[in-house]
Amino acid sequence: MKKIFIIFVIIFSTTAHAKKNDIVIPKYFFANELTKKTCSLKGVHGYGSWGKAGWDLDLAITHVSKKKNPELQGNNYDHLMELTKYDWNKDHELRSNSIYVNHEEHSNRLALLHGAIVKAIVENKMDEHGPIIVEVMVAWAEAGVMLSTLTSEEISELKDQGKVDRTCYGGGKAKGDKPCISHRPHEAQIYGATYIQQAYLMRDQFTKEQFQIIDKYIDTLYKKYIGPWTLSELGGPRGFIQMADGTISVLSYLAWKDKPEEVAKWIKKGIGKADRVVYDDGYIHNNSFRGVRDVWYHSQGVNNLLGLYAIADLWGYKSFPAELKKRIDKTVDVLNLGLTDVKKYRERKDPSGLQNFTKDQKHATHHVHQMAISLDWLIDKYTDKDHTIVANDRMWKSKKSVYFVDRNFGFEPKCMN
């Protein structure tokens, strides 16, 4: 009887431990339920859209052609399909530098694709809109959108050959007008992760043949951009940026591949990186010390750190370190200081000595990152810190008005449930 009791205790303990650490991928990746009440996206024409930035945008997708209805000036379907002709390598070379990454041609369309899918789901119109959305996604896959982008490995070869600077800002010399070729695979991995999230939302809408096309494209995006970039970033010493330094990018792929058993180790990698870059006082390595754009970059770090915590919580990860969470909470205090007393904020000197910033006041961004559209909500929901300072940042509220998706994550955080 004693042996049976001991066996029962062992089995119970093992089962309880397993259950405690079980990962459950939400039905909609960032949500278990999508309704008008839980996720009512308001469409807005952003930069790079076919309508004037800031105008209201109907997220419904149709086949209506602007040739047949010129008064429309365009439509969602045509706008999305134009990405099949897009060359990010060329666009980046022509229009971007170390300070400014003009990515709206693809990021605007990714947001629109996401909005069209969510609208179809919450309004129960997938039968009507689903086939058109699928047509767009298959067209992007068949066109190999983004796949001509230089990879991190190819860029390393160019650096070794002395053809490009080793680092951005003119080789780390605070020259913001110099090229930053590393942004190319960086953007490709963000695009890849966001595309995968949309494919996950649409997975029941693909035919067998369409699924195979999408799946092959996703595998290529992961192997060329998402996997290499994320491993490099999470293994590196610098900062904390989009997709929680790629953690959410990999989770997108694992969701698509239905591999919940691999999720915990990647969340743990994201936690490990966060642990290395968040200082004891709440400043963030590199993010917090970026010249006249320091508060802006710091807010991006706060957004992604809280995003990592939020997605881990939503997916059922139970081992987020309490001590790290306290430091992440302190990053909010630092952000609030930066927004209210930037002179005091800047008394803390950068211990790394990095020079990847600009001191030119014409490039100053003393406000919360405009694509962190729900940072005040994340602070309020996941910390005990004051969210009202961010919420009342007038410049942030003005600039974020043309976004309805946080491109740091690929979705609107307020829809998380």
Side-chain angles (χ1 to χ4, degrees):
M1 188 69 182
K2 186 176 181 180
K3 288 183 178 179
I4 293 174
F5 177 76
I6 292 172
I7 291 172
F8 174 80
V9 170
I10 292 172
I11 292 174
F12 178 82
S13 299
T14 304
T15 304
H17 179 73
K19 187 174 182 180
K20 182 181 178 183
N21 291 286
D22 274 351
I23 296 293
V24 178
I25 302 173
K27 181 179 180 180
Y28 299 109
F29 185 79
F30 57 91
N32 290 293
E33 179 185 38
L34 284 181
T35 67
K36 288 183 179 180
K37 184 177 181 180
T38 64
C39 191
S40 181
L41 297 183
K42 180 184 178 184
V44 181
H45 281 286
Y47 303 112
S49 182
W50 54 263
K52 185 177 179 180
W55 283 4
D56 287 345
L57 168 66
D58 185 356
L59 294 173
I61 186 169
T62 70
H63 265 129
V64 176
S65 171
K66 60 185 177 183
K67 293 179 181 178
K68 294 180 181 178
N69 293 277
E71 70 277 8
L72 292 176
Q73 301 178 355
N75 65 65
N76 290 344
Y77 173 80
D78 287 345
H79 184 61
L80 289 171
M81 289 299 281
E82 285 172 0
L83 197 63
T84 59
K85 306 170 187 175
Y86 183 61
D87 185 337
W88 163 236
N89 258 338
K90 183 177 180 180
D91 186 18
H92 180 265
E93 184 175 359
L94 291 174
R95 298 195 302 129
S96 298
N97 55 33
S98 291
I99 298 174
Y100 299 110
V101 188
N102 294 301
H103 49 67
E104 73 284 349
E105 291 295 328
H106 56 266
S107 58
N108 174 283
R109 288 176 171 85
L110 284 168
L112 176 55
L113 177 65
H114 177 74
I117 294 171
V118 170
K119 183 180 180 71
I121 292 172
V122 302
E123 295 187 355
N124 296 313
K125 291 186 177 180
M126 192 57 77
D127 288 345
E128 178 184 351
H129 295 159
I132 308 174
I133 295 169
V134 166
E135 185 182 344
V136 169
M137 297 193 73
V138 170
W140 289 8
E142 290 181 326
V145 175
M146 284 290 191
L147 295 185
S148 64
T149 304
L150 288 172
T151 64
S152 296
E153 184 178 355
E154 290 168 338
I155 289 174
S156 292
E157 291 177 3
L158 292 174
K159 291 177 179 179
D160 290 341
Q161 296 165 8
K163 295 181 179 180
V164 297
D165 288 329
R166 278 282 173 190
T167 57
C168 303
Y169 288 84
K173 297 179 181 178
K175 297 180 179 180
D177 60 342
K178 295 296 182 180
C180 183
I181 197 169
S182 298
H183 284 151
R184 297 188 194 180
H186 177 194
E187 282 295 322
Q189 73 87 20
I190 297 173
Y191 165 87
T194 310
Y195 180 91
I196 294 170
Q197 288 177 24
Q198 312 323 315
Y200 183 74
L201 295 179
M202 294 291 294
R203 64 195 182 283
D204 295 334
Q205 303 298 316
F206 301 123
T207 65
K208 182 178 179 180
E209 292 74 19
Q210 290 168 339
F211 183 92
Q212 290 173 343
I213 293 169
I214 298 288
D215 189 52
K216 182 178 179 181
Y217 180 50
I218 285 173
D219 280 341
T220 306
L221 286 167
Y222 184 81
K223 291 173 183 176
K224 289 188 71 172
Y225 306 109
I226 296 173
W229 191 88
T230 303
L231 278 173
S232 174
E233 201 67 22
L234 291 182
R238 183 182 297 186
F240 208 79
I241 51 177
Q242 289 101 331
M243 294 290 175
D245 255 13
T247 307
I248 294 174
S249 302
V250 174
L251 297 189
S252 305
Y253 182 72
L254 295 179
W256 171 255
K257 290 295 185 180
D258 192 23
K259 293 185 177 181
E261 70 278 3
E262 295 186 23
V263 167
K265 73 177 182 181
W266 282 96
I267 292 178
K268 189 174 181 180
K269 288 178 186 290
I271 288 171
K273 174 64 183 293
D275 186 49
R276 292 197 303 276
V277 299
V278 179
Y279 296 123
D280 290 341
D281 58 2
Y283 282 79
I284 307 167
H285 179 276
N286 196 35
N287 286 69
S288 305
F289 310 97
R290 298 294 295 271
V292 295
R293 300 167 72 83
D294 48 3
V295 175
W296 188 77
Y297 273 110
H298 179 85
S299 71
Q300 184 185 47
V302 177
N303 193 55
N304 280 278
L305 288 163
L306 289 178
L308 172 64
Y309 180 81
I311 204 81
D313 180 66
L314 179 64
W315 284 38
Y317 185 81
K318 306 297 184 183
S319 303
F320 205 99
E323 187 277 329
L324 173 60
K325 179 55 169 56
K326 289 180 181 179
R327 276 187 281 144
I328 290 175
D329 291 354
K330 286 183 180 180
T331 68
V332 178
D333 292 331
V334 174
L335 174 57
N336 289 341
L337 176 63
L339 292 171
T340 56
D341 189 348
V342 72
K343 185 176 180 180
K344 182 73 175 176
Y345 169 96
R346 289 174 178 164
E347 288 179 0
R348 170 72 145 97
K349 302 305 178 184
D350 183 6
S352 74
L354 291 171
Q355 295 288 307
N356 58 335
F357 57 76
T358 179
K359 298 178 181 178
D360 191 335
Q361 284 295 330
K362 71 181 180 182
H363 301 305
T365 49
H366 187 240
H367 58 79
V368 174
H369 198 293
Q370 63 270 21
M371 292 180 190
I373 60 173
S374 297
L375 181 53
D376 56 339
W377 180 86
L378 286 169
I379 292 170
D380 187 41
K381 182 172 176 62
Y382 293 103
T383 79
D384 60 357
K385 302 298 182 178
D386 182 4
H387 72 286
T388 62
I389 295 175
V390 168
N392 292 324
D393 183 353
R394 295 175 64 183
M395 183 63 74
W396 173 64
K397 288 194 288 186
S398 173
K399 286 182 172 291
K400 75 166 185 165
S401 63
V402 294
Y403 303 100
F404 55 91
V405 172
D406 184 333
R407 76 179 297 265
N408 288 278
F409 310 130
F411 52 85
E412 158 63 281
K414 288 180 183 176
C415 293
M416 295 178 73
N417 69 77

